[in-house]
Amino acid sequence: MALESAIGSANTTRASSSLTLGMKISRINWPLLVMLSLIACYGTAILYSAGRGWSPWAWMHLLRFGVGVVMMLVVALIDIRHWMRLAYPIYVLGLILLIWVEVAGDIGMGAQRWINLGFMQLQPSEIMKVALVLVYARYFHIINPGRISHPVSLLLPLALLVIPVALVMRQPDLGTALLLLAGSGGLMFLAGVSWIYFASAIAAVAAALPIAWGFLRDYQKNRVLTFLNPEADPLGTGYHIMQSKIAFGSGGVFGKGYMQGTQSHLDFLPEMQTDFIFTMLAEEMGMIGALVLLCLFGAVIAYGYIIAMRVRHQFGRLIVLGVILNFSVYVFINMSMVMGLIPVVGVPLPFVSYGGTAMLSLLFGFGLLLSASVHRGVPIPENTGMFL
Amino acid sequence: MLPGGRDNKQIKQFTRRAALLGGAQALMFGVVASRIYFLQVIESEQYKVLADENRISLRLLLPQRGRILDRYGADLATLRQNYGVILIPERTRDIHQTLNTLGEYIPITEQDRVRVLREIRAKRSFMPIIVAENLSWEDFARINVKSYDLAGVQPIVGETRAYPYGPLLSHLIGYVASVSEKDLEAIENPEPVLRSPGFRIGKSGIEKMLDTELRGRAGNMRVEVNAYDRVIRELTRTEGVTGKDIVLSIDIEMQKAAAAALTGQSGSIVCLDIERGEVLTLVSVPGYEPDAFNMGLSNAQWRALQNDPMHPLINKSIAGLYPPGSTIKPLIAMAALSTGAMSPSDGVFCNGRFRLGNHLFHCWKKEGHGAMTMREAIKHSCDVYFYETGRRTGIMPMHDMGVQFGLGVKYDIGLPDEKQGVMPSPDWKRKRFGQPWVGGETLIAAIGQGYMQTTPMQLAVMTARLASGRLVIPRLVRDVSAEAKPIIFPHLNVPDEHLKIAQDGMWAVVNEVRGTAYARRMEGNGYQYSGKTGTAQVRRISREERYRKGGVTKNENLPWEQRDHALFVGYAPSDTPRYAISVVIEHGGGGSLVAAPIARDILSLALARESHGLKLYTPDTQTS
């Protein structure tokens, strides 16, 4: 067993240390790219309907996806060990930018989230989503598995998580904070942190809920309250949920037909091109269309697990499933939100919602995933020497 | 520990946990999928209904209100365009913000704002509320451009009532105004159209009495609207029915002349076409501006109208009650003839006084008229002759004759608040006051004073019946469709000879030297008219005043409200009567001096209009 493993390890070490560009390209998981492209095209079609034409959204969406895919492939071809070295620098950069938006960020939708780069608006929290996956994967790759559940070992990961979450909550962006928490928690779980921590964390959260309530902004409280009883105030904050459910339900099994959605085209549906795009899709394409999209997402996730199992190093495995976890949390929160299962939180649907930074950060993440897959056999020592 | 061993253990744990996490994700996706199924299959029907309720809106198509025309087709009440803005509270995000924004484009006063907010509280949130009306075209165009940004705000083009003659016809035509909650409560099963913003119903006059005919019937259309209630397209449409045009018997030119003759006074003129009973003129002055009610009256304006001593809100022609005074004397003469209490040649000597028991009754002519017969007594309006006639006749024959000639009777002419008046009788007095009739009251009644109360309309009808001997019934609305059918009123139950005597007396009043209205006879048009003057006393003249030096105080020296009412009734031409008239001027002074010349002028105008070649309005004349 140990011998086999050692031989296999030696083989792959030899093979991957001398990977040529051609070999790397051939190792890229092209089926994944096809699935992501299908989702993006589906999104483009729905945005075409939302905007009644290529402008203002459909064309731009497709263009961004194209640019993002190129970036993703570039990221995939860079050796995973470089990314491992860059984990903390990227994290620090994200942190600096997060602090910067506190100071100089533009005001949008009542929350400071963006840095205006001129050609696009950068959300530092998006960088942070990727950076946290990187630093967690690195940390739990290096740490002695025997000590993984020791409280002292968890101090650094918790600190790395708490600082950006606190900053994001201050903005205030509940959706992103939830994404960061869920992604990081999932990584800790995968890395092997003891059950006891998760059980006690859940118990602590339940106990702290009433206290946390006091820290929420009014609009966040309203969202929770209207979620609990949307019919109580159908013209106030419950309006969005009610209208979304009406649009969703009225679509029926086969939908109202492409470009035929009444709720969306008559402006009853708010933010239909961004957070509520899934509602519009369900209204026009019906349950069939909604389940097709759900299956595409499910396929990407399932494929992610297959890729993860093929990676030979813990760092890569954590990267792959970290990215997949983030992606699935996006999908789950967005879909549940528009169907009234959870309160309204501003989370886009990956590759379908219109919006630049979320798509780029997701594609960057998938680039890392692919890089881990391409470089699945490279030897990564437990002690890299740089930054811990 | 071997690296491979560590790896293996790590891989095992990772795989286990990944499987758990994957299972959790599969569970979540299962939840999402079942939610999709729940919404789109199980609850789908319910949401389809809600989606249709969102997008489909039933709009009423307000019917066009019918016009009101005079007998020759002149527009008395029409429609003009009215640009306004309405607000649907439930469609707005924030009422105050919306009103503020709206205020940047159109003038909204603090008063408007208070009213709108009050209406919002009073009405259900989907009921549209009028924010502004009668906007200029510029303001209206601005709102049309901006309304897309203003959720819940809709520009509307309505039609509003226009009254080209204003106060001249205020009592006759009345006015329209918004439907109040009180109006709605009064109606059983109110039509939905009554709840439409800006919809007006008649509140007074013809507008009120013939409201349902004028109103027409609302149509409706189903439209698809967006979230801002903007109509995207029309789905179905059911046309309504335009309101009916109402053609009045009024001649607007005569109406104008009559109102002009009463300028500055308080009073009434009613002129009838005797043959058909059609009301040609029905003037009550002063009037009011009917548009003011349509636009909404301020409290101060309303109080001013209410407290005006000349009572502009009352239609004096049908709701003003006056003692008929001497205008009733021809009727009393006929009552006496009918019982045989008097013969036309019976003489009564007038020395200016008449004693009954302990009471002394006075003739208007202090020094007396001397020997009087019936014809002379009418001509000179001798009170003593009629005291004696009344004494011999008794109250009941006088009462019966009065009722036969239309006094103390309602005609339901088609205007609200028509008064019945009083033609007194012992029965009436017993019921009214619980007291028996006394002889002196019969004498007072014989000169048209005391309990007797008549409307100017009743006096005109009395005169028309005197002139024609037929049971003339007044009418205000012409039945255009049945125009060809002649109206023939039945004869009154009065011998022709008796009528002749009354008519002869009334001819003498105007056309014989020393008749009370001889100075006001017609000259130059080849016509003669007949009539009777009246001066109704409104105050009690005391014994001291009557016998003091200088005698009874002259009208011009009395305060306005104590002066006598001036009355005149008449008809023309004398030989073939076609027009009857009553003129009442409140506190105007003597009937012969003030009322008679007006009656003569209006009768002359009616006669002159005959030769103008005017064509009566029919719907066909309009289309041709």
Side-chain angles (χ1 to χ4, degrees), chain A residues 1 141 143 145 189-193 195 235 243 245-246 248-250 252-253 262-263 266-268 278 282 286-287 294 301 305 309 314 317-318 321 325 328 331-332 335 339-341 382, chain B residues 2 4 6-8 10-11 13-15 17-18 20-22 25 28-29 31-33 35-37 39-41 44 47-48 50-51 54-55 90-91 93 125 148 224-228 232:
Chain A
M1 184 71 183
H141 175 85
I143 197 166
F189 180 74
L190 284 168
V193 173
W195 283 101
L235 295 165
Q243 294 302 331
K245 280 164 79 177
I246 290 171
F248 213 103
S250 64
V253 176
T262 60
Q263 287 282 103
L266 297 173
D267 299 336
F268 291 101
F278 186 53
M287 185 178 75
L294 194 65
I301 291 162
Y305 279 89
M309 290 307 130
Q314 182 77 344
R317 285 191 289 264
L318 288 174
L321 283 198
L325 203 59
S328 66
V331 173
F332 179 72
M335 287 187 170
M339 290 189 292
L341 279 175
E382 269 74 57
Chain B
L2 278 169
R6 171 184 163 174
D7 257 11
N8 245 337
Q10 204 171 37
I11 289 171
Q13 189 183 42
F14 182 87
T15 310
R17 293 223 166 168
L20 279 169
L21 206 59
Q25 281 173 328
M28 282 177 173
F29 270 65
V31 168
V32 168
R35 180 68 172 174
I36 291 174
Y37 178 80
L39 286 177
Q40 296 200 297
V41 176
S44 183
Y47 287 119
K48 275 177 185 160
L50 288 173
N54 262 349
R55 83 183 170 97
E90 70 170 10
R91 304 255 189 204
R93 297 280 177 272
S125 67
Y148 193 79
E224 186 173 83
V225 296
N226 70 6
Y228 309 102
I232 304 299

Side-chain angles (χ1 to χ4, degrees), chain A residues 366-387:
Chain A
F366 275 98
L368 289 176
L369 182 154
L370 287 173
S371 175
S373 172
V374 168
H375 307 95
R376 55 184 174 262
V378 298
I380 306 177
E382 269 74 57
N383 190 350
T384 56
M386 247 185 103
F387 298 106

Side-chain angles (χ1 to χ4, degrees), chain B residues 270-288:
Chain B
V270 177
C271 183
L272 304 175
D273 172 278
I274 293 172
E275 191 195 340
R276 302 179 56 81
E278 290 175 349
V279 180
L280 299 173
T281 308
L282 190 137
V283 168
S284 171
V285 288
Y288 56 87

